[in-house]
Amino acid sequence: MSKRMDLSAAVALVKDGDTVAFGGNALFRSPMGAVKELIRQGRKDLHLMKTAIAYEADLLCAAGCVKAVTAGFVGYEGEFGLCRWYRKGVESGLVRANENACYSVITSWRAAIYGVPFLPIRGMMDSDLLKAVGFHKVTCPYTGEELVAVRAIAPDVAFLHVQKADEEGNACISGPVYEDSIIAKAAKKVVLTAEEIVPGSFFAQDPHRADIPAAVTTAVVHLPGGARPCAVSGCYDMDREELRSFLAAKEPQAALAAAGLEGRELQ
């Protein structure tokens, strides 16, 4: 059964206040086409999730769409530095920073996959994050060891950008998969944006090509360039001009215009 949708219909699966997860990592294979459509549709009070998030958080914060970000790292790394609009949102109190380790974000998704309310980890025992974010400690009934309990979080919608997908929702990722396969299993709805739509025979010939299986996919969008200005392995490098123009903007409207969202009214 075909799950093809246009971008507008797929992004409309997100409602105000939803928890939205993004695939990729930092500036690599981030689903920026879907992010920009979220802004066009005026979504607000979103809770964003990703292990290492960059342009998604910064752009959505500049547009006033965000109430919280749960991530292990927020920033562009390297030549582009930190996320200034995310920082402004946190400092103003408009955005809650749920600072995690990348591993604890992944653990929250794994707990959702397993259908349990939390999973224990050994890390962060002496960290201020326990109090700041609200992590709780639990005692192992078998060993008596004290551990940190990470609560399950099932994103309402996840957006993953991939190189190849078929109409049924199987997807092939070239290069690092990052946490995309975990996010896809944890989320209630999964939207794939794809550089190329391939026939189902591509996956039938070798089922191991499907990094994301059709069984977890809700919608497939054919969206060449759907990660720009971020990079996609084997397709294109990052657009440094757009990123620099966005980061140089002093006002939110100018930042949105630099991202190709001219005339978008802030929420």
Side-chain angles (χ1 to χ4, degrees), residues 1-4 162 164-172 190 192 203 210-220:
M1 182 181 70
S2 176
K3 298 176 181 175
R4 286 281 296 269
V162 302
K164 299 178 188 293
D166 67 12
E167 292 192 350
E168 294 184 354
N170 296 296
C172 177
V190 176
L192 304 177
F203 296 98
D211 298 292
I212 310 298
V216 300
T217 301
T218 308
V220 178

Side-chain angles (χ1 to χ4, degrees), residues 1-266:
M1 182 181 70
S2 176
K3 298 176 181 175
R4 286 281 296 269
M5 288 189 186
D6 63 26
L7 181 62
S8 177
V11 170
L13 294 170
V14 177
K15 307 304 179 187
D16 290 349
D18 274 357
T19 295
V20 181
F22 301 107
N25 187 275
L27 290 173
F28 299 93
R29 215 169 30 75
S30 297
M32 293 309 306
V35 169
K36 292 180 180 181
E37 182 62 19
L38 284 169
I39 294 171
R40 293 187 192 99
Q41 293 191 14
R43 294 295 173 271
K44 57 186 178 181
D45 295 330
L46 299 179
H47 172 199
L48 313 183
M49 292 192 76
K50 189 170 178 173
T51 52
I53 195 168
Y55 197 32
E56 303 102 319
D58 222 14
L59 186 55
L60 286 164
C61 283
C65 301
V66 183
K67 70 173 180 182
V69 177
T70 296
F73 174 79
V74 183
Y76 294 94
E77 300 181 305
E79 62 192 287
F80 300 108
L82 300 177
C83 292
R84 61 177 297 181
W85 298 104
Y86 164 77
R87 179 173 179 170
K88 286 179 180 291
V90 173
E91 289 179 342
S92 69
L94 295 175
V95 177
R96 176 174 173 78
N98 294 327
E99 185 177 354
N100 276 242
C102 291
Y103 181 60
S104 62
V105 177
I106 294 170
T107 299
S108 70
W109 292 328
R110 283 183 169 147
I113 293 169
Y114 300 155
V116 295
F118 72 91
L119 282 176
I121 61 174
R122 281 198 171 90
M124 303 191 298
M125 287 300 295
D126 297 318
S127 170
D128 290 340
L129 288 180
L130 272 69
K131 182 177 180 180
V133 182
F135 289 112
H136 295 281
K137 296 179 181 179
V138 293
T139 301
C140 174
Y142 299 104
T143 66
E145 181 181 5
E146 195 171 47
L147 301 165
V148 174
V150 178
R151 71 182 181 92
I153 302 178
D156 294 295
V157 183
F159 291 98
L160 313 176
H161 188 72
V162 302
Q163 284 92 344
K164 299 178 188 293
D166 67 12
E167 292 192 350
E168 294 184 354
N170 296 296
C172 177
I173 296 171
S174 302
V177 177
Y178 303 118
E179 293 76 45
D180 289 38
S181 61
I182 297 173
I183 296 169
K185 295 172 186 174
K188 299 171 185 175
K189 296 177 183 177
V190 176
V191 175
L192 304 177
T193 58
E195 294 290 330
E196 179 184 359
I197 301 297
V198 297
S201 59
F202 177 84
F203 296 98
Q205 291 167 3
D206 182 1
H208 293 96
R209 290 173 172 170
D211 298 292
I212 310 298
V216 300
T217 301
T218 308
V220 178
V221 180
H222 185 209
L223 194 64
R228 293 187 188 277
C230 299
V232 173
S233 177
C235 297
Y236 43 84
D237 197 359
M238 64 186 71
D239 182 344
R240 288 172 169 81
E241 182 178 349
E242 177 178 325
L243 291 167
R244 290 193 181 104
S245 296
F246 172 79
L247 290 167
K250 303 300 183 183
E251 300 296 333
Q253 290 287 11
L256 295 181
L261 294 163
E262 295 91 345
R264 173 65 210 166
E265 292 185 6
L266 298 179

